[in-house]
Amino acid sequence: MQRDGSRATMEATERSLAYLHGISVERVKWLGGKRAGSLRERGIDSVADLLLLVPRKHIDRSQVMPLDQVEVGVETTVIGQVRRVNVRRLRRRMVIVEAVVGTDTGSITAVWFNQQYQARRLERGIEVALSGKMERYRGRLQLNSPAVDILARGRGNLAVGRVVPVYRAMGDATPTYLRMGVHNALMRSRPITDPLPLDLRQRLDLTDRDTAIASVHFPDSIQQIRPARRRLVFDEFFRLEVALAMTKRHKTETSVGIPHLLDPETEMVERFVRGLPYRLTGAQRRVIDEIKQDLGSRWPMHRLLQGEVGSGKTVVAVATVLTGVQGGFQAAVMAPTEVLAEQHYEGIAGLLAEAGMVSPIAGPFSLFDGVDGGADGPRVSIALLTGNRAEASIRPRGKTNRRELLHWIAGGEVDIVIGTHALIQEGVRFARLGVAVVDEQHRFGVHQRVQLKDKAEGVDPDLLIMTATPIPRTLSMTLYGDLDVSEIDEMPPGRKPVRTWATSMEGRGMDRVEQTIRDEVGGGRQAFVVCPLVEGSRQVEAASAVAEHERLAGVFPEMRIGLLHGQMAPRRKEEVMEAFRSGGLDVLVATTVIEVGIDVPNATVMVIRDADRFGLSQLHQLRGRVGRGSYPGQCILLADPATKDGVERIEAMVRLSDGFRLAEEDLRIRGHGTVFGARQSGFSDLRIADILRDRKELASARREAFALVRRDPTLESHPAIRDEVRVLLGDAVEWLFRS
Ligand code: ADP
Ligand code: MG
């Protein structure tokens, strides 16, 4: 009794997916040797991987019809012997393979067009199963391009009399061998244990795992496939979300946060907000409150702030930073490009100066000239640190050197440091970093966000990640699953929508473009002209901008036209940007250095050359550079797309203005695997689930996973789930389970 009992438990654990993950695919009958090699190349290493390899499609061969009973126009499977094979060549490289197959009740012709390999497979005398729509041609029954299975003796039963799975060929592992291999693996692995508690399965109406895995391959009927797949999709999301929930819990538990001071007496934030030239939108207020809650708590904040381009994330960043500073901590703001870091520095310093909050001003520091020097109220010092520039409000412009600035940061004399990834480099030390803001997160990897946090010793600074990349909501849930999310879902009032239109770069379209620029500049507005991306060559990219600049100078002799590209000296770039911002230039010819964040409300025209070469989110970012003030903007896409994707992207841009809708469209055009790589998410790509199509499953998997981890943080009472997450997700989550 005792022995039997313990053996039963052994077997139960042995048949978990985690256990099957430990058995090499090589050991599956039919799939050894070279075939295993082909499978390995595609990431199918274990029996578990094989069992989770969902067939490309199924053919319903549950009913094989005698020929005298088949109906024309109906999907039919016929079994018989190849009597004759005939290959005919027609003009224009057309090849027709024709086979006559004899059955017990008569013969039938099968025809394939341009599938010459069929002739090589179909030898006279072999047994085959043919499936396709029955037709009648010149009085005879015929199948056009039917699916074929060769029924070798002894293994033919897999291909007939049932719903038959069809796998994608993987090198030496052909669809037929895969079918036999999977069948064999199933026979030896079943019953496969289910790690999910019964009540959860019942509540969500999920098929049990054994049935799901078996019938996603060999269903009893076509109707069984859908619920089976749904279960596997749920499982795939669930593993990921359990890992995310545990990551989040782990971070909260092991970190020592700063309960920032929210004392209204010293409220810098209110003072700053009062000094703004506009009123905050309801969404900005709400988001600032959410952030304040986090900052006041003793848990470090990990928050993602999503907001459409131009929704006003910068002031939210300033409010966040000031909340940290008012309690005596330092703050960092990291931007992905030098131009953007500089703009943030000038912009934020300008807003703070406007509110009389910048301190202490020494010397002829142009940015703060003439700003009221009223002595009351708290003040902050602010600095810029990029690869090329170091500057601080506590020193006159141009007099700060890098060493000095690093010294001030380390000594705590600078309150707010704005910069590029130079901020996370060696040698930058903060005295007491309390808050970090990362702007346009999509440009950074997860890794860099972690490094920024490491700049604070002993404590975990609060972290706000801002993004305007329209990340589809569903995708951000998986990617940033360990973050809380706030969203600015309201634009500042008075914005006019940007009208988007596309035209060819040749012929009359260009006249209209030039006229548009003339009209807008004539009315006192400004225009951007963006030159195409040149893959892998900044030099060529710059050269095309230089050429366009020259050309436009010829077209518009009366205008002041500036040039901005990545190869220019930093000082020069800054001057050009400043000239454009202050209205000293009418047109700015630029490369994509202006893609993110640039804020010049007087600019109303965005012309993008070779627009089809840009990705959708990039185009959307570029479009977001206009229509930021109270004048309506126009975005003109110059393109002669050569690819289908290119055409689709241009059409999507013209049709859609909502960034989230566009991101989903992007996902549809490109497929979700390529939007964010595994590097970003930290997990390998999903194999079965599709983030868009299966969004409902994703939502429920996430809800259940987080609830489970809340109840059972280390999954002590759910060892099967624990093992599965650890084993199937592998290295990416291994650290979570180290004790
Ligand atoms: P993004 O979210 O793209 O970073 P910004 O913070 O650059 O947007 O803001 C875009 C523009 O909107 C800026 O010119 C900013 O001054 C302006 N702005 C921000 N908030 C408001 C508001 N509540 N009312 C009016 N204008 C605003
Ligand atoms: Mg921004």
Side-chain angles (χ1 to χ4, degrees), residues 2-57:
Q2 187 68 33
R3 266 188 75 209
D4 279 353
S6 64
R7 197 167 70 215
T9 346
M10 267 282 290
E11 279 184 5
T13 39
E14 279 188 1
R15 283 164 175 187
S16 67
L17 267 190
Y19 173 76
L20 296 170
H21 195 268
I23 304 176
S24 163
V25 73
E26 191 128 43
R27 293 183 45 197
V28 176
K29 191 173 177 193
W30 310 112
L31 295 180
K34 268 175 146 174
R35 288 171 208 143
S38 293
L39 289 172
R40 282 240 158 72
E41 272 168 34
R42 287 156 182 86
I44 315 262
D45 295 310
S46 69
V47 172
D49 293 332
L50 182 69
L51 293 179
L52 296 179
L53 181 71
V54 170
R56 181 166 66 86
K57 62 171 186 177

Side-chain angles (χ1 to χ4, degrees), residues 278-281 284 309-314 492 495 599 601 628:
Y278 44 75
R279 291 182 46 180
L280 292 181
T281 62
Q284 284 170 322
V309 190
S311 61
K313 293 185 292 297
T314 312
R495 290 284 163 81
D599 185 37
R628 296 169 82 82

Side-chain angles (χ1 to χ4, degrees), residues 276-282 284 307-316 340 343-344 351 439-440 466-468 488 491-493 495 597-601 621 624-625 628-629:
L276 286 174
Y278 44 75
R279 291 182 46 180
L280 292 181
T281 62
Q284 284 170 322
E308 180 69 279
V309 190
S311 61
K313 293 185 292 297
T314 312
V315 290
V316 174
L340 189 54
Q343 172 181 288
H344 274 330
L351 288 173
D439 194 14
E440 307 295 352
M466 307 201 294
T467 182
I488 306 187
M491 295 298 264
R495 290 284 163 81
I598 298 301
D599 185 37
V600 182
Q621 280 280 351
R625 301 307 113 216
R628 296 169 82 82

